[in-house]
Amino acid sequence: MAYSRGHDFLFCNLCGTMLSFSSTKYVECPLCKSRRSAKEIVGREISYTVTAEEIRKQLGISLIDEEKMQLSKERRRCEKCGNDEAWFESRQMRSADEGQTTFYTCTKCHHQTREN
């Protein structure tokens, strides 16, 4: 059966459809009409944890793979090795009414600096 053990009390033993209360004494499968005693279900609970990854998958959101992300380059002298080129990216680090922070990374030695 496709349902995990411990949760199968909510599903029909014959066809796997979720059961519904037809009266205070019985639960019934809406598809095949088989019945079970409501006593088997009353007072039982199911709990589960939803991860951030599962939410992203359901919403179709993917994380940016920073390793594969192509950064823009700028002529900027590295204070550590003197190289004249750096990658840069801007991020909103503080509240929206304040400016972005720009991060610079030397293309040669990977030394990082930032400007607010």
Side-chain angles (χ1 to χ4, degrees):
M1 191 182 269
Y3 307 105
S4 64
R5 283 205 156 329
H7 297 104
D8 42 339
F9 66 90
L10 287 174
F11 300 96
C12 177
N13 292 335
L14 300 174
C15 69
T17 303
M18 184 176 264
L19 299 172
S20 60
F21 281 91
S22 58
S23 73
T24 57
K25 294 182 180 183
Y26 297 100
V27 290
E28 184 176 68
C29 174
L31 185 63
C32 71
K33 306 298 182 200
S34 68
R35 291 175 138 190
R36 288 171 48 187
S37 170
K39 290 179 184 179
E40 294 178 42
I41 293 179
V42 173
R44 298 191 65 186
E45 292 182 12
I46 291 181
S47 66
Y48 58 94
T49 303
V50 178
T51 65
E53 180 63 27
E54 291 170 324
I55 293 170
R56 282 193 293 272
K57 283 181 183 177
Q58 287 293 318
L59 296 175
I61 299 171
S62 61
L63 294 177
I64 296 172
D65 186 353
E66 292 189 13
E67 304 251 333
K68 295 180 181 177
M69 188 169 67
Q70 181 117 12
L71 299 176
S72 300
K73 289 183 184 177
E74 180 177 288
R75 289 189 56 78
R76 183 179 181 88
R77 181 170 295 281
C78 175
E79 59 191 39
K80 186 175 178 184
C81 73
N83 184 36
D84 287 334
E85 193 172 57
W87 294 299
F88 72 94
E89 63 179 313
S90 296
R91 292 186 184 174
Q92 188 68 38
M93 303 299 286
R94 297 173 304 280
S95 63
D97 63 340
E98 297 185 38
Q100 293 184 343
T101 301
T102 304
F103 294 87
Y104 296 94
T105 305
C106 175
T107 58
K108 185 176 178 183
C109 73
H110 300 283
H111 176 70
Q112 291 187 331
T113 57
R114 70 178 182 178
E115 283 183 2
N116 291 327

